[in-house]
Amino acid sequence: MPTSLYLILLLISVAFLYSELTKRIPTRLRSDQAPKSDFGLVPVDGFGSRTRANGLDIIFVHGLGSNPDTTWRARKTESNLEATHDQEYVCWVSDFLQQDIPATVRRDIRVFFYNHDSFWQRDAVQTRLPNIGRGFLDRIHAGIRRTKEERDRGLIFVGYSYGGLVIKQALIQASRGERFADIIGRTKAAFFLGTPHRGSSFTRWGTLIARALQPIGSNPSILGELAYDSISLLDLHKEFVAVTGDGLRVVNFFEERKTSVLKLWFVRWGAFCVPEQSATYEGRYIQNIGLSVDHYGLNKFGSRSANYKMVLSKLLETITPFMSQRRDHIYSVSLETVHSYTDRDKLFPAIEEKLRIFHKNSSVPHALAIYGLGGTGKTQLALKYIEDHKSDYNPILWIDAKDPETVQFSFERCAAELQLSVDRASTQGPGLADSAAVQAVLRWLRDRKGSDEEWLFVVDNADDATWGIKQIIPKGERGNVIITSQDDQSPRLLNGGCEKLRVDKMEPLEARALLLQHLKWDVGSAPQHVQRICDTIVERLDFLALAIDLASAYIGNGSNRENGLKQYLADYGKHQDKLLQNDNFRGLSMYDKTVWTVWDTTLAKIEREYSEVRPGLLLAFLAHIHRGIFQDEMFRLASLGSSVANKLDQDIPDWLKQFIKLDEQEWDSYYYRKALEPLTRYSLLQRVDGEWPGVTMHSLVQWRAMRYEENQPWSLWCLIFILAASCQICKEKARPQFRRYMVTHIPDTTRVSQSHLDDMQFDDEKKAIVWDCIGRVYREEGRWKEAEELGLQVVERAKRVLGQEHPDTLISMSSLASTYSRQGRWKEAEELGVQVMETRKRVLGQEHPDTLSSIANLASTYRGQGRWKEAEELEVQVIETTKKVLGLEHPDTLSSMNNLASTYMSQGRWKDAEELLVEVIEIRKRVLEQEHPDMLTCMNNLASTYSHQGRWKEAEELEVQVMETRKRMLGQEHPDTLASMNNLASTYRDQGRWKEAEELGVQVMETTKKVLGLEHPDTLSSMNNLASTYSHQRQWKEAEELKVQVMETRKRVLGQEHPATLNSMSNLASTYSYQGQWKEAEELGLQVIEKAKLMLGQEHPDTLTSMSNLASTYSRQGRWKEAEELGVQVIETRQKVLGQEHPDTLTSMSNLASTIANLASTYRDQRQWKDAEKLLVEVIEKRKRVLGQEHPDTLTSIANLASTYRDQGRWEEAEELGVQVMETRKRVLGQEHPDTLTSMSNLASTYSHQRQWKEAEELLVEVIEKRKRVLGQEHPDTLTSIANLASTYSRQGRWKEAEELGVQVMETRKRVLGQEHPDTLTSMNNLASTYRDQRRWKEAEELGVQVMGTRKRVLRQEHPATLTSMSNLASTYSYQRQWKEAEELGVQVIEARQRVLGQEHPDTLTSMSNLASTYKKQGRWKEAEELGVQVIETRKRVLGQEHPATLTSMSNLASTWKFQGRDAEGLELLSTCVELSTKKLGADHPDTKNRTQALNNWKQQQEVLSLA
């Protein structure tokens, strides 16, 4: 007890002592202890109060925990006799400083104290340095910089100790936003009195004290920020130096005496509070000065001591020059921005940004060259910058550098403005730089120092540097220079560094605004139709500021502005030359030139100085040929193909010859490059970089250049040039990608028409050369229409001039036939092909190479029509003849063998194709190099053969080899390389390696887009292939987007009825079908069929494929009859056209389980098992014989037969086939191939139906894990396998597990596929079934109603899936004893199924059985019996007596008779049922066991009753 008492007394004593020690610490919560000064900016009396621009504001900021009342105050010393407000203290700021600043200056200076709350000892505000800095900034902005005049005033900051950090923090924050830009921009100097830039040595002790004072509300964190060399202080200083740069004058004062810490008798201990190394730092305009005081004497001066005078002198060094110059602001600019000046939103901020960049080694710190084409508004941009930044510079001088005379005059004006004494007689030489006025101005600017204001010097129109303009560019450390010029080399006028900014034509909205402002229309108020007219005008003028300005003057001449706009537009279309040359309104414009004359000086200068390379003629030539970008490659091609000029018997001028000069079969580009240099330098042309670099020009420059030497035959020269380039590019097979750019320069067919070439005096032979050469480029680029148009002209001319049977005539006819083939116009191609072949046979003989070539071409046409037999016959004939005439190893012989192999492949004769290709490869290995293009083509074809046989590994090895070789030999972007990459992607896709296929597909698509263009046939094919990969991954949206794009492009480029267009429409229809968009799929499918029949014929393979696809769409909708009709038609036609064993024929007989567009599928869906089984067995036997036992297609057909057995309840047969398929696929395709996983899933289904739950579950879990890993968590196939596992759990009564999986599948499908997707609805239906099995009727009912409603809306009322959902909902109603609702739905389902599927369809019978069950539950035995008897009889007849469904109906009817008391009949029927069930399903089958148990129980009941 005494110990506790002592402890209490001790605590009380400590508390009392703590209270006594701390009670003298003031609190700012009490008015008598708070500072007298208000928080914020406090004006200091005795200084000026005027707020005019160009004045100066000085702000003093106190240190940590202090206030203005005490910080700047000191006790009077004996030497200080001046009277002050306070008899004991003196404030040096208000008492000394205001007297020591000259009165003439002082009246424009305002002085403020800033009082911030950084008191940290008692009842402290819990704040930090960033918050105090932000508060300081806000007070300045809102308190003393509200008006424009105030914002133009300079700023000087004086900070003591912590106050210096507040200043630094505020300036850093000011640099981060436009709101405070004037504060950072107008700050002239900062004076730091003992500011701890690196921290204080007292911080550790201060922090300990603050923590000790925490019970009375101290703020230790604010002291913690001052830890010596803390990261926060180092970052603060680094950022401060970065934002202020070298433009801010800084003076650091540091203490030279230690601060006394402890004084005890004769023992003293002191330390530097802020040592010199913390209070100072180095820089260009940084001064570090020591004062002979301790830290607490740096801010307190009781008299005008030497320390005070040092601080004063440094302040005056900054104040005096600034104020004296600001009062006499010099603005020597002879121009001003026009009233219609329009902001250039991108350019103007760029000028401001670039003029802030500091060039340390330059003759001036800040310099910018604004260059670009004449008439683009460079001068107005410079003027706008000056006007907006007038107060930032003094002086601002403008020099017109048009010529030496205007420069001299400008300097004399500037010297007068600067009040410089100029003695003209002192000029020492003839040069401009020797002028006394020039020297005086340059000397004055050079002599400005760090304390002076920055000056701005503008050199306008600096287009010609030859007369020494560089010598009159000023130098100086306070300098800013702007140069405007047409010369892109103008930045080099300054030594050491200069920013540059290119000015081009205006943005469309800016150009519209300029025109409207001229016409005194506001952009927002001008009527829409007026704005549209303005847009058309500025677009015609190509957004050139000069042209728009002149047009505005012309339009504004009339009284009605709107009519003026319309009239100008009409006049421009008819009289462009007159308008652009008209100088009547030049005086009303801000320019003194017209579009006709604005570039005259520049062109004359260029022609004069570069006469040996004739740049003016090159500009004119490019203007006549120019369309967009003109690539340098055109000149290289034209140089190599220049011999075409000789064929045309035309000469080209010497100046053009030197631009396409050849040196040892290589283009000598020297003269071309030299001619381009001045044109690009003065922006008459603009360089364009990239894969194919070149030049482009403004449309009005083009207009002006086209009027240069107009009497020359420019059209003829341009045509010869284009023909030379065209002929050469057709030879350069290794660089086809340039054709896309080349085509843009080729004259359209109207410009090389008969009449047009007549005007050039071309005879028939020369015309043929032109048409053939250009036609070849069009044909190579897939521009069939243009190629056809020119090809027809060549054929007509050849027939007329050379005769029908001339070899050249036949060549042109063959080329035209090829063009028809490429367009899918087989009949026209065939007619021409037959004609050429017959003529060559007659004229040249049966065995002539040209004859054989025409036979091969005709065979290709037959192949394109799917007429395989005729193609094969012709190709065999060609092979035999070439072997005899040319020999087995001749390239033509091998090509013909390759063609025959292709025909075999089209017929699905893979073995024949393989044998032929292997033979070709072996011969080519012997004759050609391993990497010869022909060898690679053969290898690629052989790989395709392997792939079709399911020999993926062999195919992949060959394709990788071909791809790598082509990459090395031809390059990454060559079309052949891309084709081999595409083939490899297809092989990956066939193996189910979707990601690898997708990566390659994306790479091929992007490269073909870049190399060949968006609309090239190869690009569209690559997009189509990638879409196919997306489809296989069930990424329907991505697939749909690509397929729509392909279809629309093909329609536009190739035409509505081109085979490729129809193919893309068919693919898109298939995608719609898979997404359940039946209507869209059907509409597209019907369109394709009709057009294919019309264009290709009834029996063409593509027509049959489109019919098969439509049958699939019908099948998915449950429209079995329509699907059956189409399926039968497709099978019969394919058997007739392709043969019984062709892969397409077998496909149409196969795939019963998946209901994909074939008759067997339709049979299975109608439970017409015998027909289905017969078809499938036939397909299997043929595929085994044709493709082999282990071919993927063979395995698919076996899997379909297993599915048919499973649906008939023939479990053992289904299981046997399922195991066979699964094991073979594991061995052939791999464990994780999608087809392998599908077969495992199917086998699991078979196990599940046999109640072999464990085996089913194990397989399904394995499938799920592998699909998650291979396809992803949310892939549709993964979700299907999870749903199957849920179903297996449900059948075992494991409801919770089934429910969890069911909910997971449903939610994922909703998110991935959408609320109304068929798969989503199926998962909802399955979940409802799980709820029903758990007797959770309401939840089952809610889901059932939702599914039924959606299916009615999406699939239609009578779709099988809709009827299934109605049947399920009826069952749910029945279980809830909602008999009426159950009966109504049951009747509806029966009637619909009878109407749609027929009276005897298994599903119809199931619905009748369900309704019978509903009657039975209500005790309506007669109605239940009638339906039950009907179901049994029909099932016996349709399915057979032993079918599981028949046995179920027998068991149900026996139960009905039992409830009616008809025991004898019931027992007999149930006994028969048990006997058949034991025989069919086995004694251990659950159904057999249940029926046996029911029979035994019934018999026992009868025995009990008989005994009773």
Side-chain angles (χ1 to χ4, degrees), residues 997-1053:
E998 183 180 341
E999 284 174 13
L1000 263 183
V1002 169
Q1003 188 181 341
V1004 170
M1005 181 183 73
E1006 294 303 326
T1007 309
T1008 50
K1009 278 182 181 178
K1010 186 177 80 176
V1011 173
L1012 302 175
L1014 268 168
E1015 296 184 346
H1016 192 277
D1018 289 355
T1019 305
L1020 298 175
S1021 293
S1022 65
M1023 292 167 70
N1024 203 58
N1025 293 337
L1026 180 59
S1028 176
T1029 302
Y1030 287 144
S1031 291
H1032 279 92
Q1033 297 178 80
R1034 309 282 183 93
Q1035 294 173 239
W1036 305 121
K1037 288 301 171 192
E1038 292 88 341
E1040 182 182 339
E1041 284 175 14
L1042 272 180
K1043 288 179 179 179
V1044 167
Q1045 191 179 344
V1046 170
M1047 181 184 73
E1048 295 302 328
T1049 308
R1050 279 178 169 166
K1051 280 182 178 178
R1052 187 173 65 252
V1053 175

Side-chain angles (χ1 to χ4, degrees), residues 815-1036:
S815 296
L816 183 58
S818 173
T819 302
Y820 287 145
S821 289
R822 296 288 183 87
Q823 297 177 77
R825 292 161 62 182
W826 308 114
K827 290 298 177 189
E828 293 156 287
E830 182 183 344
E831 286 175 10
L832 267 181
V834 169
Q835 190 178 341
V836 170
M837 180 185 70
E838 295 300 330
T839 306
R840 280 178 170 166
K841 280 181 178 178
R842 187 172 63 256
V843 175
L844 302 175
Q846 294 270 4
E847 297 179 350
H848 191 278
D850 289 352
T851 307
L852 297 175
S853 173
S854 58
I855 296 172
N857 291 340
L858 183 59
S860 175
T861 302
Y862 287 150
R863 193 163 59 241
Q865 296 175 79
R867 293 160 63 181
W868 316 118
K869 291 300 176 189
E870 293 163 282
E872 183 182 341
E873 286 174 9
L874 284 179
E875 282 162 348
V876 168
Q877 181 185 338
V878 170
I879 289 172
E880 295 304 322
T881 309
T882 51
K883 278 182 181 178
K884 185 175 74 179
V885 175
L886 304 174
L888 182 60
E889 296 182 350
H890 192 278
D892 289 355
T893 306
L894 297 175
S895 292
S896 59
M897 291 168 72
N898 199 56
N899 291 339
L900 180 59
S902 178
T903 301
Y904 286 152
M905 288 165 68
S906 297
Q907 296 176 80
R909 292 164 61 183
W910 313 119
K911 289 296 178 188
D912 296 334
E914 181 184 345
E915 287 175 10
L916 205 53
L917 287 169
V918 167
E919 184 183 352
V920 171
I921 288 172
E922 291 304 319
I923 296 170
R924 280 188 166 154
K925 277 182 182 177
R926 204 163 56 245
V927 176
L928 305 172
E929 295 178 2
Q930 186 78 14
E931 296 180 343
H932 191 280
D934 290 349
M935 173 70 77
L936 297 175
T937 300
C938 274
M939 291 168 68
N940 212 57
N941 291 341
L942 181 59
S944 178
T945 304
Y946 288 151
S947 191
H948 280 95
Q949 295 176 76
R951 293 158 63 182
W952 313 122
K953 291 301 173 190
E954 294 165 279
E956 183 181 341
E957 284 174 12
L958 269 180
E959 283 164 349
V960 168
Q961 184 183 342
V962 170
M963 181 183 72
E964 294 302 328
T965 306
R966 281 177 169 167
K967 280 182 180 178
R968 191 173 65 255
M969 300 293 291
L970 305 176
Q972 294 268 5
E973 297 182 347
H974 191 280
D976 289 353
T977 307
L978 297 173
S980 57
M981 292 167 69
N982 206 50
N983 292 338
L984 181 58
S986 176
T987 299
Y988 286 150
R989 192 164 57 242
D990 289 336
Q991 294 177 79
R993 292 159 65 181
W994 313 122
K995 288 302 170 191
E996 292 162 285
E998 183 180 341
E999 284 174 13
L1000 263 183
V1002 169
Q1003 188 181 341
V1004 170
M1005 181 183 73
E1006 294 303 326
T1007 309
T1008 50
K1009 278 182 181 178
K1010 186 177 80 176
V1011 173
L1012 302 175
L1014 268 168
E1015 296 184 346
H1016 192 277
D1018 289 355
T1019 305
L1020 298 175
S1021 293
S1022 65
M1023 292 167 70
N1024 203 58
N1025 293 337
L1026 180 59
S1028 176
T1029 302
Y1030 287 144
S1031 291
H1032 279 92
Q1033 297 178 80
R1034 309 282 183 93
Q1035 294 173 239
W1036 305 121

Side-chain angles (χ1 to χ4, degrees), residues 624-683:
H624 282 86
I625 208 169
H626 172 74
R627 291 184 186 180
I629 299 170
F630 192 89
Q631 296 81 9
D632 302 340
E633 174 73 359
M634 288 288 290
F635 278 88
R636 188 192 71 82
L637 291 168
S639 71
L640 295 172
S642 56
S643 60
V644 75
N646 298 328
K647 293 181 183 178
L648 294 172
D649 194 23
Q650 295 289 338
D651 197 15
I652 56 176
D654 291 339
W655 57 266
L656 183 54
K657 285 179 181 176
Q658 74 175 5
F659 292 147
I660 56 174
K661 184 179 177 183
L662 274 177
D663 182 17
E664 296 183 1
Q665 297 307 307
E666 289 291 332
W667 175 42
D668 181 357
S669 64
Y670 175 80
Y671 290 100
Y672 171 70
R673 286 184 286 106
K674 285 299 176 184
L676 279 186
E677 280 179 11
L679 296 173
T680 55
R681 176 174 174 176
Y682 292 95
S683 301

Side-chain angles (χ1 to χ4, degrees), residues 606-619:
I606 288 172
E607 279 292 280
R608 184 175 64 252
E609 294 180 9
Y610 297 85
S611 57
E612 75 280 3
V613 290
R614 304 305 303 270
L617 287 168
L618 177 61
L619 182 67

Side-chain angles (χ1 to χ4, degrees), residues 58 123 146 221 253 292 317 331 333 384 480 487 587 784 801 870 907 968 1073 1138 1172 1240 1303 1325 1458 1471 1504:
I58 305 174
D123 299 320
R146 289 168 295 186
S221 64
F253 294 95
S292 56
E317 280 180 14
Y331 184 78
V333 181
K384 178 62 177 172
N480 297 263
D487 187 354
W784 315 120
V801 175
E870 293 163 282
Q907 296 176 80
R968 191 173 65 255
S1073 182
L1138 304 176
M1240 291 167 70
V1303 169
N1325 201 59
K1458 178 183 178 183
S1471 296
V1504 170

Side-chain angles (χ1 to χ4, degrees), residues 195-250:
T195 295
H197 299 297
R198 292 175 60 184
S200 170
S201 57
F202 282 16
T203 301
R204 183 182 304 170
W205 302 107
T207 304
L208 289 173
I209 294 169
R211 287 174 179 165
L213 295 177
Q214 276 186 300
I216 61 171
S218 68
N219 181 6
S221 64
I222 201 168
L223 285 163
E225 292 175 324
L226 300 178
Y228 201 87
D229 273 352
S230 67
I231 296 298
S232 59
L233 281 181
L234 293 175
D235 288 345
L236 177 74
H237 185 66
K238 189 185 297 181
E239 193 169 1
F240 173 75
V241 170
V243 301
T244 56
D246 288 335
L248 180 69
R249 186 184 186 200
V250 173

